[in-house]
Amino acid sequence: MPILTDSSVASDWIEPDEVARPVVTYGMASNKIGTIELDLHRHAKGQIMLVQRGALSCRVEGGLWIVPPRSAVWIPGGALHAIKATGSLEGYSAFVAAGFDASLPQRCCTVSVTPLLRELLFRAARLPLFYDEDGANSRLIAVLLDEIAAAEIEDLHLPMPVDARLRALVDLMMAAPSERCSLEEWAERAGLSERTLGRLISRETGMSFGRWRQQLGVMLAVQWLADGASIQQVAADLGYESVPSFVTMFRKTLGTSPGRYMAERHAGRNAGS
């Protein structure tokens, strides 16, 4: 499949499920600054999406995943999902037939992309659509699948509740992340008691309300930083009174400072360009 660009036409895209190959890869590169949204859809093949430039979020039943540069999201075959990408986007995907490799993840997850995995996706995306399945091509695909299976899972997942009252509250929180309301105040806005809200959010997400809200902040921070926002702006937009308090929260959650986290991803991006 050709690398899709801003000059590509609709006929350049071929649905991966219709290609009689166990693994189908493609790339996309857009220099337009804007937003690309794909509504809920599904593929029979599992899919890994590497973000080389830009930021991508993926909603799958039960969760939201944020994919910054030098990371990828794995979506199992048959999973209903929607995608939103912002900025000038460059990305690469591989679609893998169901049951072709049992060592691949069984659930949706975000994974860290090693230089080898990145280069394998680059190379595979340039194979002919109906590539020869013997010889060098089969070895390339086999190593690609090994690297996907071995990729380290990243904590960039936000469990999403199903309860309609909680979903309405989540929409409010995501629309106004700078509001540092207490559990009691959010419960009142949802028309629930404080105890009921805490119990519901724990039951449906596996997290306390405070832990879930902190994870939401980290997810939004990663997305905004990948879009080019400064650490100072992100801290302010999340309602932190000081940059150090935001940096401390970020480091406790992801193990490194926001500046170093994004610097490593941009270094990885430049190495592959």
Side-chain angles (χ1 to χ4, degrees):
M1 188 178 296
I3 303 296
L4 303 175
T5 66
D6 293 327
S7 60
S8 297
V9 296
S11 59
D12 289 335
W13 168 259
I14 300 174
E15 173 57 44
D17 289 342
E18 298 175 0
V19 180
R21 290 293 183 273
V23 179
V24 181
T25 56
Y26 80 93
M28 176 181 178
S30 173
N31 292 318
K32 294 180 179 178
I33 305 297
T35 300
I36 301 172
E37 294 191 60
L38 298 178
D39 291 334
L40 287 169
H41 63 286
R42 68 177 91 229
H43 307 281
K45 289 182 168 78
Q47 178 184 10
I48 187 170
M49 287 188 292
L50 158 69
V51 176
Q52 180 71 0
R53 184 179 71 238
L56 183 144
S57 62
C58 180
R59 285 183 179 270
V60 184
E61 294 169 305
L64 171 70
W65 279 260
I66 296 295
V67 193
R70 219 183 80 174
S71 291
V73 61
W74 168 258
I75 305 169
L80 192 64
H81 60 284
I83 295 169
K84 181 178 180 180
T86 57
S88 58
L89 181 68
E90 179 184 356
Y92 298 84
S93 285
F95 294 84
V96 184
F100 184 66
D101 191 326
S103 64
L104 296 177
Q106 299 301 304
R107 296 182 180 181
C108 189
C109 58
T110 308
V111 298
S112 179
V113 175
T114 63
L116 176 57
L117 176 53
R118 184 175 64 244
E119 293 303 322
L120 288 165
L121 282 167
F122 289 171
R123 179 72 177 271
R126 289 165 173 81
L127 290 175
L129 185 61
F130 291 95
Y131 55 84
D132 184 354
E133 296 184 81
D134 296 323
N137 290 337
S138 64
R139 293 192 294 272
L140 171 66
I141 295 300
V143 177
L144 170 62
L145 295 176
D146 287 343
E147 283 298 297
I148 295 173
E152 180 181 353
I153 295 177
E154 295 186 314
D155 188 19
L156 292 174
H157 168 226
L158 184 70
M160 298 296 280
V162 175
D163 184 279
R165 295 164 296 177
L166 292 186
R167 291 304 293 263
L169 186 60
V170 167
D171 290 342
L172 289 175
M173 295 176 69
M174 295 186 73
S178 63
E179 293 191 18
R180 309 296 291 176
C181 298
S182 66
L183 174 60
E184 181 182 5
E185 290 169 320
W186 283 118
E188 184 177 349
R189 295 178 70 171
L192 300 168
S193 70
E194 182 178 348
R195 184 174 181 179
T196 299
L197 174 57
R199 186 176 66 250
L200 281 175
I201 200 77
S202 176
R203 185 184 71 192
E204 297 212 5
T205 70
M207 296 179 173
S208 68
F209 180 81
R211 176 71 182 88
W212 188 92
R213 184 167 62 175
Q214 179 175 291
Q215 185 70 2
L216 170 62
V218 168
M219 300 278 283
L220 292 174
V222 168
Q223 186 170 23
W224 293 341
L225 290 167
D227 280 342
S230 67
I231 295 174
Q232 292 79 5
Q233 186 62 54
V234 171
D237 288 346
L238 289 176
Y240 283 86
E241 295 182 357
S242 69
V243 171
S245 59
F246 162 68
V247 171
T248 298
M249 180 279 294
F250 192 99
R251 183 183 284 114
K252 285 175 64 177
T253 306
L254 293 182
T256 188
S257 69
R260 182 178 294 276
Y261 183 87
M262 294 312 300
E264 290 174 351
R265 274 144 183 76
H266 286 300
R269 181 193 69 189
N270 295 334
S273 53

